[in-house]
Amino acid sequence: MRTTDRHEVVIAGGGPTGLMLAGELALKGIDTVVIERRVNQDIQGARAGGLHARTLEILDQRGIADRFLAEGTTAQVAGFAGMSLDIGDFPTRHPYGLALWQKHIERILAGWVAELGVPVRRGLEVTGCAQGPDGVDVALSDGGTVRAHYLAGCDGGRSLVRKAAGIAFTGTDATVSNLIAEARLTGEPPQWGIRRDAVGIHALSREDDGTVRILVTETAIGTGEPTLAELKAALTAVFGSDFGVHAVTWLSRFSDATRQAETCRKGRVLLAGDAAHTHPPDGGQGLQLGVQDAVNLGWKLAQVVRGLSSDTLLDTYHAERHPVAARLLQNTLASVAMRPQDERTKALRDTLAWLIGMEQPRKEFAGLLSGLSLRYDLGDGHPLVGCRMPDLDLEVDGSIVRVYSLMHDAPWLFIDFGTGLAVPDRVRRIDAAYAGPWNLPVTGAVPAPGAVLVRPDGYVAWAGNTGDGLRSALAAWFEAGH
């Protein structure tokens, strides 16, 4: 890329967050380029192991959920500190999680983004940026630059974009570290499965091809790139043997260090995914958080670039997503505290398991971890406001139509059940009938509204039976930007 290159948005990072954001922007016709340091989409190791229910709903909103479901295995995957949380009774078309390794998730997302025509420039990194009143100059590792209206940092926990923008990344330092690996063993077969002791949590699982996935807690906090010698020592310290571990195809280290960007936006630079927040992998929530960041940001950034809203709309990205991440970070720290197994932590786990076993606490925890109960603070009004729109079977022009099937191109939707209220042309109007129940996860049944205004990310911006508040809701999301 040379200094003459210009795009409306540059995305640094082609992982799940960056790819999802690229897709969202492409659906809105935004000229976007992804800068990715890897020369292809391959990743080392399995990484994240699946998708939670709300992430599946988001993919369903874009018409691509079936691509993931075809390759994964559905299961009850929501859990806290090793305690399973069943969401099988939640009102959703996806009352489960999906077991699917990140390398497959990325491959499928990359295929979708390619279909949408987004260019991905590989073997490059964003190394710096300089903001001005009319755009941002993005410096690249090959010495070139690219000019854009906005730069989105989706480049991971060590984000160069975050550092270049001077955004503070504060939180807690590591108190424990773990090694995770894929390798082969030649020694006496170990006991397979999860093991807890006073050091922490460990796990050994055998794959069909003979590869063994290893998770082991180190007896002392490790730093830097791990070595085979360190893996052998950690296994020996916990199991009394290194099992002749060899042929390592992936070896990585993670800790319980927990950090969050002070702001998700600084001028023309925005952060999403691990660039905005890092935390322990407990509960498999990181990938979900990043994808949902991207879907929240994408339509807002598109409206600003298109001049449909002033750039103050981007402040709502921080206002909505920063608290969500802060809550998740709190939950993962709590989970880490219960990893070890001694008399005290066992008593705590048993007590919490008893509590979560009750109906309402189970729903509260499961709704939080699955993402289904998220409610943005969009003010007072109907109980639907701020919640994700249920995927109802609507009757439209004599046919049954799913709500999410109307959202594949990320429109604003106004679904009217007979009020006759008027909305501007930029909002897609659907006149429909629906006589069934309106149920939300955790909350339960809510009154049927006369109409709903649904944002492109699937969250309800307004609901009611009369026009009270509709005009002000529309004004809030479509400010005078031109």
Side-chain angles (χ1 to χ4, degrees):
M1 301 181 75
R2 300 271 59 95
T3 56
T4 55
D5 286 338
R6 294 175 180 269
H7 296 275
E8 290 174 321
V9 177
V10 171
I11 298 173
T17 302
L19 291 172
M20 194 71 208
L21 180 58
E24 292 294 291
L25 291 169
L27 289 173
K28 294 294 188 180
I30 303 301
D31 175 18
T32 303
V33 65
V34 177
I35 308 297
E36 169 55 41
R37 63 179 178 80
R38 291 173 293 171
V39 296
N40 55 47
Q41 203 63 47
D42 294 344
I43 59 175
Q44 282 192 320
R47 306 294 174 102
L51 301 169
H52 285 304
R54 180 54 189 155
T55 309
L56 287 169
E57 285 192 338
I58 286 171
L59 298 171
D60 206 350
Q61 290 172 188
R62 298 301 177 252
I64 58 174
D66 287 349
R67 305 185 188 191
F68 299 86
L69 292 168
E71 296 197 26
T73 302
T74 59
Q76 293 299 328
V77 301
F80 178 70
M83 290 168 275
S84 182
L85 296 162
D86 195 323
I87 64 169
D89 60 344
F90 276 18
T92 171
R93 294 185 194 271
H94 304 286
Y96 45 72
L98 186 73
L100 185 65
W101 294 118
Q102 182 173 332
K103 62 182 179 181
H104 301 304
I105 295 170
E106 284 199 22
R107 171 176 50 79
I108 297 169
L109 279 175
W112 176 57
V113 169
E115 291 170 12
L116 294 172
V118 180
V120 179
R121 309 300 187 195
R122 297 191 175 277
L124 290 173
E125 287 186 276
V126 171
T127 58
C129 60
Q131 299 191 54
D134 301 318
V136 54
D137 291 310
V138 182
L140 304 177
S141 55
D142 67 350
T145 61
V146 59
R147 178 80 169 169
H149 295 312
Y150 290 92
L151 168 63
C154 305
D155 52 341
R158 297 184 178 91
S159 173
L160 294 173
V161 171
R162 185 188 64 239
K163 294 171 183 176
I167 298 174
F169 201 47
T170 59
T172 61
D173 293 330
T175 64
V176 65
S177 62
N178 296 75
L179 297 177
I180 187 168
E182 294 176 3
R184 293 184 179 271
L185 307 182
T186 57
E188 187 68 21
Q191 181 177 351
W192 304 109
I194 297 174
R195 170 177 171 176
R196 296 178 186 271
D197 58 24
V199 176
I201 187 171
H202 324 281
L204 297 166
S205 63
R206 182 167 46 193
E207 300 300 304
D208 292 340
D209 64 357
T211 300
V212 175
R213 299 190 191 280
I214 301 168
L215 168 67
V216 60
T217 303
E218 297 181 275
T219 54
I221 301 173
T223 59
E225 292 297 322
T227 64
L228 176 58
E230 288 177 310
L231 177 61
K232 287 176 174 285
L235 285 168
T236 302
V238 171
F239 294 98
S241 171
D242 65 15
F243 306 114
V245 62
H246 69 289
V248 177
T249 56
W250 179 49
L251 176 59
S252 185
R253 172 180 278 125
F254 67 87
S255 75
D256 65 337
T258 302
R259 298 188 180 280
Q260 186 170 19
E262 184 178 72
T263 179
C264 299
R265 179 202 179 190
K266 188 171 183 180
R268 294 181 176 272
V269 176
L270 301 116
L271 303 177
D274 289 351
H277 33 69
T278 58
H279 53 86
D282 298 54
Q285 299 169 83
L287 187 151
Q288 330 299 321
L289 189 62
V291 168
Q292 292 170 42
D293 282 349
V295 175
N296 184 286
L297 174 60
W299 66 271
K300 296 174 180 177
L301 190 52
Q303 282 191 192
V304 171
V305 171
R306 284 287 173 263
L308 299 176
S309 302
S310 72
D311 73 351
T312 58
L313 179 64
L314 297 177
D315 294 334
T316 69
Y317 169 62
H318 172 88
E320 291 180 0
R321 296 304 296 172
H322 198 271
V324 173
R327 179 66 182 272
L328 188 152
L329 267 58
Q330 181 184 43
N331 288 340
T332 55
L333 283 177
S335 181
V336 168
M338 288 187 286
R339 280 185 193 167
Q341 185 89 330
D342 56 26
E343 290 185 4
R344 289 170 177 78
T345 54
K346 184 178 184 303
L348 178 59
R349 285 172 55 81
D350 289 347
T351 300
L352 190 57
W354 168 75
L355 177 64
I356 291 178
M358 299 178 185
E359 185 72 355
Q360 194 58 33
R362 189 266 306 177
K363 287 184 176 180
E364 294 285 351
F365 268 85
L368 178 68
L369 294 170
S370 66
L372 292 172
S373 66
L374 172 62
R375 182 182 186 276
Y376 293 125
D377 183 7
L378 304 185
D380 298 329
H382 193 282
L384 283 168
V385 174
C387 298
R388 105 272 187 257
M389 176 67 187
D391 187 20
L392 306 177
D393 286 320
L394 307 176
E395 183 180 342
V396 181
D397 295 329
S399 299
I400 300 302
V401 179
R402 290 175 51 197
V403 170
Y404 288 3
S405 71
L406 301 170
M407 303 185 68
H408 292 179
D409 58 345
W412 274 89
L413 281 181
F414 183 73
I415 306 175
D416 188 15
F417 300 101
T419 67
L421 293 168
V423 290
D425 291 341
R426 66 186 61 166
V427 176
R428 183 178 299 165
R429 181 190 186 89
I430 305 293
D431 290 299
Y434 177 72
W438 288 74
N439 290 316
L440 296 176
V442 184
T443 301
V446 298
V452 290
L453 178 66
V454 185
R455 305 189 323 187
D457 58 357
Y459 288 84
V460 177
W462 174 90
N465 296 307
T466 67
D468 292 348
L470 176 58
R471 181 172 295 181
S472 60
L474 287 165
W477 299 109
F478 291 98
E479 303 163 290
H482 54 85

